[in-house]
Amino acid sequence: MTNTITVIRGDGIGPEIMDATLHVLDAMQLGLAYEFADAGLVALEKHGELLPAATMDSIRRNRVALKSPLTTPVGEGFSSINVELRKRFDLYANVRPARSYPNTKSRFPDGVDLITVRENTEGAYIGEGQSLSEDGETALLTQKVTRRGSERIVRYAFDLARRTGRKKVTVVHKANILKSTSGLFLKVAREVAAQYPDIQCNELIVDNCCMQLVMRPEQFDIIVTTNLFGDIISDLCAGLVGGLGLAPGANIGTDAAIFEAVHGTAPDIAGQGKADPCALLLGAAQMLDHLGQPEQATRLRAAIVATLEAKDSLTPDLGGSGNTMSFAKAIATRL
Ligand code: NAI
């Protein structure tokens, strides 16, 4: 059966890692067809808008997209297109696995295998109600958390635990200080957890969670948390397993899903062939799971692990002297 997916090549290192990823997917002969669509800076230059209707239509039609990172200007300029895509398609679950792989610069070569499940559509991160007073002295932001939003993300985390044979869900919050927003999230999480007696559940305040992650990451299995905390925690977890080059992420909704790397456009190395394609490739593996092809996802992950074990053509972030495409080609030969 042919699956058509929407492909967004993105900017910065985006096109390089996407070419590498598609090279590997092509070598797998999965019968995947690609519909290329533009978003962000590239779309603005080509079509005069950041999120063209054709891109929205393509994702709506195919229901699955593989996306490279998109630039968001810091402090000023347009709002994040990544956030916009998540909002428009109601991609409420951001699922970010962090796993130790061989021959990486991880401080924990064996001990990390956890998933951050991050609420993706509400909270401080979406930047609702941002304003700056005329005198430039006071900045405001609205932070909204809902029972519905909290319930569906916590339920997603517990269902994921059951589906994947994981044993424990850690609810991460700041309800001691943010008594309304984080308080509601925690209250709902406790209610949902009570419906899953087969899955162990514990609670951690976010600052303690960060310390525990760095000291004893092996105690974590699945973390479920709100949007901004999840954003920060998942980069921390990427650091635990050897860097952003190895951290994928899925944005899952009821009607669509977008698969990507956790990292951004890496302007410091863009165009130099130095970018590690593994994060996007591991995102593609999540996509294959989602498309109902778990054996192909396993095949792809195994080829990545075998290439890391052989230290064959690795990119500089992993201590190698290969480049983005040579790494991808080495993976493709091990499929
Ligand atoms: P970044 O993730 O692009 O880079 C952080 C550091 O990690 C840099 O030193 C970079 O060289 C390195 N790095 C990232 N990906 C790598 C890879 N595949 N291989 C080797 N090294 C890699 O974060 P930064 O610099 O804070 O953000 C740059 C831009 O990316 C910003 O405009 C930001 O908004 C955007 N961004 C987009 C995301 C998305 O599209 N989902 C996610 C995160 C940031």
Side-chain angles (χ1 to χ4, degrees), residues 14-65:
E16 301 164 57
I17 57 170
M18 187 59 82
D19 286 348
T21 298
L22 297 186
H23 174 83
V24 177
L25 290 178
D26 286 344
M28 293 181 78
Q29 300 189 318
L30 302 165
L32 279 181
Y34 311 130
E35 203 168 274
F36 290 91
D38 297 318
L41 281 181
V42 174
L44 189 63
E45 277 162 24
K46 275 180 38 188
H47 314 285
E49 52 184 334
L50 289 157
L51 199 47
T55 301
M56 294 295 292
D57 288 345
S58 175
I59 299 173
R60 205 170 285 121
R61 197 168 45 246
N62 298 324
R63 298 164 65 98
V64 172

Side-chain angles (χ1 to χ4, degrees), residues 13 67 69-72 82 244 260 262-266 268-269 276:
I13 59 170
K67 185 188 78 63
L70 302 171
T71 302
T72 309
N82 298 306
L244 282 166
E260 61 182 352
V262 166
H263 64 72
T265 55
D268 52 336
I269 56 167
D276 184 341

Side-chain angles (χ1 to χ4, degrees), residues 185-330:
F185 178 76
L186 180 60
K187 181 175 188 293
V188 173
R190 285 174 179 165
E191 290 167 13
V192 174
Q195 296 164 31
Y196 293 79
D198 49 320
I199 307 289
Q200 195 191 332
C201 178
N202 68 333
E203 300 166 7
L204 276 182
I205 295 175
V206 63
D207 31 352
N208 181 22
C209 173
C210 290
M211 192 269 288
Q212 297 285 343
L213 274 166
V214 174
M215 300 286 288
R216 289 197 306 121
E218 66 281 358
Q219 69 183 287
F220 293 93
D221 199 350
I222 290 181
I223 290 172
V224 64
T225 191
T226 44
N227 205 341
L228 183 58
F229 297 160
D231 180 53
I232 298 165
I233 284 174
S234 53
D235 261 41
L236 193 163
C237 293
L240 294 178
V241 299
L244 282 166
L246 296 162
N251 301 277
I252 311 274
T254 309
D255 300 319
I258 299 182
F259 299 85
E260 61 182 352
V262 166
H263 64 72
T265 55
D268 52 336
I269 56 167
Q272 301 173 32
K274 288 183 184 169
D276 184 341
C278 279
L280 189 59
L281 274 164
L282 291 166
Q286 284 183 285
M287 179 183 79
L288 294 175
D289 275 329
H290 181 81
L291 288 171
Q293 301 192 38
E295 61 297 328
Q296 297 294 354
T298 302
R299 180 181 165 213
L300 174 53
R301 290 188 187 106
I304 294 170
V305 170
T307 309
L308 290 168
E309 269 166 355
K311 294 192 190 176
D312 182 2
S313 309
L314 308 186
T315 41
D317 60 309
L318 299 172
S321 53
N323 60 45
T324 309
M325 193 47 102
S326 72
F327 194 1
K329 286 184 174 164

Side-chain angles (χ1 to χ4, degrees), residues 53-126:
T55 301
M56 294 295 292
D57 288 345
S58 175
I59 299 173
R60 205 170 285 121
R61 197 168 45 246
N62 298 324
R63 298 164 65 98
V64 172
L66 186 62
K67 185 188 78 63
S68 270
L70 302 171
T71 302
T72 309
V74 176
E76 51 190 22
F78 60 81
S79 302
S80 166
I81 299 305
N82 298 306
V83 173
E84 191 60 28
L85 281 167
R86 292 166 189 166
K87 278 201 306 203
R88 296 253 203 121
F89 288 104
D90 197 22
L91 306 175
Y92 66 93
N94 193 331
V95 183
R96 296 182 155 184
R99 195 187 138 189
S100 300
Y101 289 102
N103 292 325
T104 62
K105 289 184 180 164
S106 169
R107 287 172 209 277
F108 305 95
D110 308 313
V112 182
D113 180 9
L114 63 91
I115 303 177
T116 304
V117 176
R118 159 190 173 192
E119 203 293 318
N120 220 9
T121 59
E122 40 184 56
Y125 189 91
I126 62 166

